[in-house]
Amino acid sequence: MALNFMTAEEAAELINHGDNIGLSGFTPAGTAKAVTFALAKRAEAEHAKGHPFQVGIFTGASTGNSCDGVLSVAKAIRYRAPYTTNKDFRKAVNNGEISYNDIHLSQMAQELRYGFLGKVNMAIIEACEVTEDGKIYLTAAGGISPTVCRLADKIVVELNSAHSKESIGMHDVYEPLDPPYRREIPVFKPNDRIGKPYVEVDPKKIVGVVKTDWPDEARSFTSPDPVTDQIGQNIANFLVSDMKKGIIPKSFLPVQSGVGNIANAVLGALGSSQDIPAFNVYTEVLQDAVIDLIRKERVKFGSCCSLTVTNDCLNSVYDDMKFFKDKLIIRQSEVSNNPEVIRRLGVISINTAIEADIYGNINSTHIMGTKMMNGIGGSGDFTRPAYISIFTTPSTAKDGKISTIVPLVAHTDHTEHDVNIIVTEYGVADLRGKGPKERAIEVIEKCAHPDYRPILREYLSYTDGKSQTPHFMKGALALHDTFIKTGDMRNIDWSKYLD
Ligand code: 0RQ
């Protein structure tokens, strides 16, 4: 069946008010761009005529400005799931304009298949190649592409020449069966291939192919600084010590690390440690630092859901595919982030917190308990099944006005039951094998900023000190309250919260 080439504007005309669109990509890597950009223009034109025009968006993870950004500004999003990092989207969500469903990334595809999220009207899939018999070769991310292609009535392919066809073969496309027919996901080693290198669809469903040349809208991260470097170093030292104790096998274990400059600093520190052998990465987002470590033979293999790298880095991989072909694999998010596989492989998970409490609960998503930052992303997928689950955070935010170590988190994403280790630039709190009262001392003394240690000790002095988890409930969120009222948690006056 001949491919039907069309413009992005023509493809956007095929989308109706109220439709749900399913997108390729995971982070801005591999995300559809041209049709969503045209869709924002279409929504603005419809709104100018007084017509309602909004869609639902299903994706793998965050997208770039050409999707979440322009569509939020155009007020064209009714509902969206899952993770996002876009500032305009964040503003719209926190203004109550968009219904945002912050789902664990590993669960996104299955929730669509189970019918929890409604119909997928159109899939928009970025590809470096598409064939007349319905083979779609994805670009820099696996995401939820095979699922949205299978569920959608129509598929539009963005054939993007900014992604080299040399990358063909990097993907391992696999969709599990659903209960009650589900079996194990047969990934027993990070480099196991279990699927096909392309998404196979009914060619009749491909209603259009839009040619583009649009590089991924990679986010730039602030460069490493002394705080992130120290956090990286603290983690490397901690893991070496666990290896020497025999807790981590001598051959080491696969590592997952989140997104951002702390993740880059952590991997840099692991990579340059003389005591850690070359290791595997089994992660969702693979950043520049890992590509560098593969080149240096410090990382043996990288399994991921997306190459969330700078465009220079991505092109350098495409230019060197002979070298990278047997060292990188891109999977769907329900495989890269699958708790079954993560527990089997013994992955060491390293993610970033917005705040941690003295008992080990983690808030990864909400600022001051109410405003959405980004979302839980894959951090929950990895944390509970991890061999060792680690959370990192600088000890303070906003020039020291906020302590990221607090008596009680203002929103909970990861509970004390799931969190093994908390790391700041000041040290490592090891919560394993400790009850809550011991944990509180460990977290305050090892991780809190010295300005906040007396404040947190004073908090504990107002508790009964005996209960399983001692709290002084009226004061549990007093640091947050003080920041909201005065702009600095250090202005805390506990007497205001005592009866
Ligand atoms: O504010 O942007 O105004 O400067 O939050 O913080 O320190 O720059 O760090 O960009 O790595 O983001 C947790 C949000 C950290 C991210 C989070 C303010 C701080 C700054 C950003 P500014 P930093 P990062 C991988 C796995 C959740 C999901 C996850 C995230 C801004 O890592 O979204 O781990 N993680 N997924 O000043 C008020 C606090 C604050 C605070 C930081 N306690 N109170 N503001 N900030 N702590 C991703 C995927 O799954 C795909």
Side-chain angles (χ1 to χ4, degrees):
M1 206 175 139
L3 297 169
N4 181 23
F5 289 95
M6 59 174 60
T7 63
E9 290 69 27
E10 286 165 341
E13 285 297 325
L14 302 174
I15 299 167
N16 302 308
H17 167 61
D19 278 359
N20 292 319
I21 55 175
L23 306 178
S24 65
F26 189 91
T27 74
T31 298
K33 306 164 185 73
V35 179
T36 47
F37 191 81
L39 187 64
K41 293 233 155 64
R42 163 132 197 255
E44 277 165 356
E46 294 290 338
H47 295 161
K49 286 187 242 162
H51 301 159
F53 194 95
Q54 284 196 316
V55 295
I57 297 181
F58 306 137
T59 71
S62 55
T63 69
N65 185 55
S66 58
C67 181
D68 283 342
V70 293
L71 287 168
S72 300
V73 172
K75 301 195 185 308
I77 308 176
R78 180 194 62 78
Y79 168 93
R80 187 197 189 285
Y83 189 74
T84 169
T85 51
N86 185 271
K87 280 194 173 150
D88 292 313
F89 180 89
R90 185 180 302 143
K91 205 154 96 190
V93 164
N94 289 319
N95 278 339
E97 293 167 18
I98 296 174
S99 166
Y100 174 38
N101 191 358
D102 187 20
I103 299 174
H104 292 295
L105 301 184
S106 72
Q107 294 181 347
M108 186 63 200
Q110 74 180 31
E111 291 210 5
L112 282 166
R113 288 198 302 271
Y114 296 171
F116 292 180
L117 308 180
K119 195 170 168 47
V120 186
N121 299 94
M122 182 188 279
I124 309 171
I125 306 294
E126 185 180 84
C128 64
E129 182 64 297
V130 54
T131 63
E132 293 183 354
D133 63 347
K135 293 190 178 73
I136 300 175
Y137 292 85
L138 301 171
T139 59
I144 56 170
S145 294
T147 303
V148 288
C149 281
R150 209 165 42 69
L151 298 178
D153 296 333
K154 296 176 264 190
I155 301 169
V156 168
V157 174
E158 287 192 14
L159 189 57
N160 190 345
S161 56
H163 290 282
S164 167
K165 289 190 184 22
E166 290 296 314
S167 64
I168 288 177
M170 221 185 330
H171 282 266
D172 188 47
V173 178
Y174 177 90
E175 226 194 335
L177 294 174
D178 290 328
Y181 307 106
R182 192 142 181 177
R183 306 242 349 200
E184 78 281 14
I185 294 179
V187 173
F188 299 101
K189 296 189 300 310
N191 59 352
D192 278 345
R193 283 191 169 270
I194 59 173
K196 293 181 179 162
Y198 49 79
V199 178
E200 197 157 28
V201 303
D202 174 356
K204 289 198 286 296
K205 290 211 300 190
I206 305 181
V207 293
V209 178
V210 175
K211 284 190 179 174
T212 72
D213 182 15
W214 196 320
D216 279 344
E217 295 162 337
R219 275 198 305 154
S220 57
F221 297 107
T222 47
S223 1
D225 57 41
V227 170
T228 56
D229 284 348
Q230 189 58 53
I231 291 173
Q233 204 48 58
N234 289 348
I235 292 182
N237 295 346
F238 161 76
L239 293 176
V240 168
S241 146
D242 255 19
M243 202 172 68
K244 289 189 174 153
K245 287 181 198 152
I247 293 175
I248 297 174
K250 287 257 174 294
S251 53
F252 217 66
L253 288 167
V255 172
Q256 173 263 340
S257 92
V259 71
N261 58 354
I262 294 186
N264 268 329
V266 168
L267 280 158
L270 297 186
S272 54
S273 165
Q274 306 284 330
D275 298 306
I276 296 176
F279 58 96
N280 289 312
V281 165
Y282 192 86
T283 193
E284 46 177 12
V285 172
L286 194 142
Q287 300 193 134
D288 289 35
V290 176
I291 298 296
D292 191 40
L293 293 177
I294 292 177
R295 283 210 174 89
K296 292 179 177 150
E297 300 185 354
R298 291 290 298 135
V299 164
K300 294 188 280 191
F301 193 85
S303 167
C304 64
C305 184
S306 72
L307 295 177
T308 304
V309 295
T310 54
N311 284 318
D312 283 351
C313 180
L314 186 64
N315 289 328
S316 77
V317 172
Y318 288 158
D319 289 345
D320 207 1
M321 275 317 295
K322 268 206 182 98
F323 173 77
F324 281 105
K325 225 159 206 162
D326 60 352
K327 297 179 184 69
L328 280 178
I329 205 166
I330 305 180
R331 306 181 187 275
Q332 269 57 70
S333 38
E334 67 180 318
V335 178
S336 64
N337 288 29
N338 194 281
E340 168 204 334
V341 177
I342 292 160
R343 185 158 288 176
R344 178 184 298 137
L345 299 181
V347 175
I348 298 169
S349 73
I350 308 167
N351 290 291
T352 313
I354 283 175
E355 60 182 3
D357 72 29
I358 54 177
Y359 296 112
N361 299 292
I362 300 288
N363 171 10
S364 289
T365 56
H366 284 69
I367 302 292
M368 295 296 140
T370 59
K371 303 276 186 204
M372 175 53 71
M373 180 69 189
N374 297 327
I376 194 165
S379 54
D381 295 327
F382 281 89
T383 295
R384 184 165 294 172
Y387 188 90
I388 302 175
S389 64
I390 303 177
F391 277 92
T392 63
T393 175
S395 65
T396 60
K398 306 293 174 204
D399 300 322
K401 297 185 184 101
I402 293 175
S403 173
T404 59
I405 306 296
V406 289
L408 180 67
V409 286
H411 174 95
T412 314
D413 294 293
H414 311 286
T415 75
E416 51 151 330
H417 312 284
D418 302 326
V419 178
N420 295 142
I421 309 290
I422 298 172
V423 183
T424 67
E425 72 278 26
Y426 284 98
V428 175
D430 188 347
L431 312 184
R432 296 172 299 179
K434 294 189 174 72
K437 290 184 278 292
E438 296 159 294
R439 278 188 230 144
I441 293 164
E442 177 86 357
V443 173
I444 295 171
E445 304 307 330
K446 301 271 180 65
C447 288
H449 188 281
D451 287 354
Y452 285 96
R453 284 182 203 169
I455 293 172
L456 293 164
R457 289 182 200 126
E458 193 177 344
Y459 173 79
L460 276 185
S461 76
Y462 298 125
T463 69
D464 71 6
K466 289 187 289 206
S467 309
Q468 165 69 4
T469 307
H471 269 301
F472 140 51
M473 291 315 297
K474 266 190 158 176
L477 295 175
L479 287 180
H480 300 84
D481 188 46
T482 302
F483 177 78
I484 292 163
K485 286 182 179 144
T486 72
D488 194 327
M489 286 183 176
R490 287 170 297 196
N491 296 328
I492 179 76
D493 176 357
W494 290 113
S495 66
K496 288 192 180 151
Y497 300 89
L498 294 164
D499 276 327

